[in-house]
Amino acid sequence: MKAWGKILKALCELSKEKGVSLYILEGDKELNYYGTELKNFCKEELYNEEDFKVFKKVKDNLSTQLEGRGYVILISPLNLWADVYEYNKPKFANPVNKERPFEVSLDRFRIGFFEEKKNAVEFALSLADKLRKEFNLHLHVFYA
């Protein structure tokens, strides 16, 4: 399917269009966040790679500890959904990894940080629109 690469490409283009600096994130059990700037993965060779290769490249490069704030978007590239929520809410934990239950996995990753919920929701909806128009992928966006 190569959804990881398509979503990564759309994220890179959209963040550049909107002038937003984002990070791909994962969190530990205390909700301390670690990540790397999205722009480090905005490379043409990643956009057409198999899902596992893109995931592995991202996973192997999340090292910087970041101060959480505002909102994050959790994206599932394999199931094509996204959820916008406050960074300090323990949502969608991986029960297998006790040390980093909010890790990047083949099925999900987080991007952030957005200062306001409105900005995160608008970005997620714009991402869904871009994916639909350019790749015929239908990303379902959830927010409350």
Side-chain angles (χ1 to χ4, degrees):
M1 180 180 195
K2 300 184 180 180
W4 260 89
K6 291 173 184 173
I7 290 171
L8 187 61
K9 182 176 183 180
L11 282 169
C12 290
E13 290 174 357
L14 196 58
S15 65
K16 188 174 181 179
E17 287 170 21
K18 295 190 176 284
V20 178
S21 178
L22 297 172
Y23 289 81
I24 295 182
L25 308 163
E26 68 179 7
D28 63 19
K29 59 188 174 187
E30 285 88 28
L31 289 172
N32 296 308
Y33 279 92
Y34 302 85
T36 299
E37 282 189 272
L38 173 65
K39 70 180 181 182
N40 294 335
F41 303 107
C42 296
K43 299 176 180 153
E44 199 65 39
E45 65 268 12
L46 286 177
Y47 300 154
N48 294 311
E49 281 289 352
E50 295 297 325
D51 288 334
F52 184 78
K53 288 182 181 179
V54 180
F55 152 70
K56 191 75 174 128
K57 181 77 170 176
V58 169
K59 180 73 174 163
D60 290 346
N61 288 289
L62 300 175
S63 57
T64 306
Q65 186 166 359
L66 304 165
E67 186 172 333
R69 65 186 188 285
Y71 292 82
V72 297
I73 302 172
L74 175 64
I75 299 172
S76 174
L78 302 184
N79 294 310
L80 295 174
W81 58 264
D83 187 35
V84 176
Y85 64 95
E86 288 180 89
Y87 82 95
N88 60 353
K89 304 291 186 214
K91 291 181 78 172
F92 303 104
N94 176 351
V96 177
N97 188 341
K98 300 296 183 199
E99 291 304 308
R100 284 212 180 169
F102 307 101
E103 68 179 339
V104 169
S105 68
L106 183 59
D107 181 43
R108 46 182 81 149
F109 67 95
R110 290 160 178 81
I111 61 165
F113 295 99
F114 297 89
E115 295 299 326
E116 297 179 21
K117 182 178 181 179
K118 176 184 172 205
N119 297 346
V121 170
E122 286 175 359
F123 190 90
L125 292 173
S126 295
L127 176 64
D129 188 52
K130 188 172 196 63
L131 288 169
R132 184 178 38 79
K133 288 178 180 173
E134 293 183 18
F135 302 110
N136 198 30
L137 292 178
H138 299 278
L139 183 75
H140 301 276
V141 177
F142 302 95
Y143 57 95

